Amino acid sequence: MKEIVPSFSASCLFIYLPLAITLSCISPAQSIGQDVLNDICSKSKDSSFCLKSLNSDPQTATTDLLGLAGISIKLAKTMVDATYKFVKSQVSLVTDPTLKKQYTQCVGSYDDANDNVDYANERLKAGDFGGVGAATSACLDDVSDCEDPPPVGVNVAAASTISLLEQNKESYELCQIALIISNRLSGEN
């Protein structure tokens, strides 16, 4: 009597072994841990703000580095857009020509920053991490163009000045966080 079992087992081995190897290689991406978040945020201008911002999104706890890049870009987009809208609303309220010129310049800078954050998101979806880095770096430059406080002697409501300075600082820091994460994805960190 001929044994069928060994030949059957050998054929099964040739079918299932490659399948098992393939499936083990396609494991879901590992979520980042608190140590990775701490490392990323230690490179930012304000590490506690960085941690607070990233942890404000519930997906941070279960996402991988690519997902964290998306979260950081989304956070930057939200703040940059809010600052753009705020500055744009202030242009019509100021009467001092010097301040009006400064706020108008900030509107242009934040319009560019918005475009750069959108481009960073496009590059992330395309897997072009260098492009994400270039776009988030450009966003930092755009936001930096609006850092100057109002000129001395210009009569402006203190509340609007403080709000602009705070929003500008947060916009800068969120774009910086996105840049740090994109650099890590590119292997630069």
Side-chain angles (χ1 to χ4, degrees), residues 10-109:
S11 65
C12 286
L13 182 64
F14 288 119
I15 292 171
Y16 292 113
L17 184 60
L19 181 62
I21 292 170
T22 302
L23 290 176
S24 68
C25 292
I26 306 176
S27 63
Q30 247 186 339
S31 63
I32 58 168
Q34 191 62 42
D35 57 332
V36 174
L37 278 178
N38 289 339
D39 184 55
I40 288 167
C41 290
S42 72
K43 294 171 176 59
S44 71
K45 198 172 182 179
D46 184 343
S47 61
S48 62
F49 174 82
C50 175
L51 286 168
K52 181 181 172 188
S53 298
L54 291 175
N55 284 319
S56 72
D57 189 306
Q59 293 180 352
T60 296
T62 58
T63 195
D64 60 2
L65 193 59
L66 186 62
L68 190 64
I71 290 168
S72 68
I73 290 171
K74 180 180 73 174
L75 291 169
K77 174 65 178 175
T78 300
M79 192 66 224
V80 165
D81 194 49
T83 306
Y84 168 77
K85 289 175 182 172
F86 173 77
V87 175
K88 192 171 182 179
S89 74
Q90 295 303 299
V91 171
S92 62
L93 300 177
V94 296
T95 55
D96 182 274
T98 306
L99 189 58
K100 188 179 253 340
K101 181 179 176 184
Q102 183 179 7
Y103 276 24
T104 301
Q105 180 260 322
C106 283
V107 169
S109 295

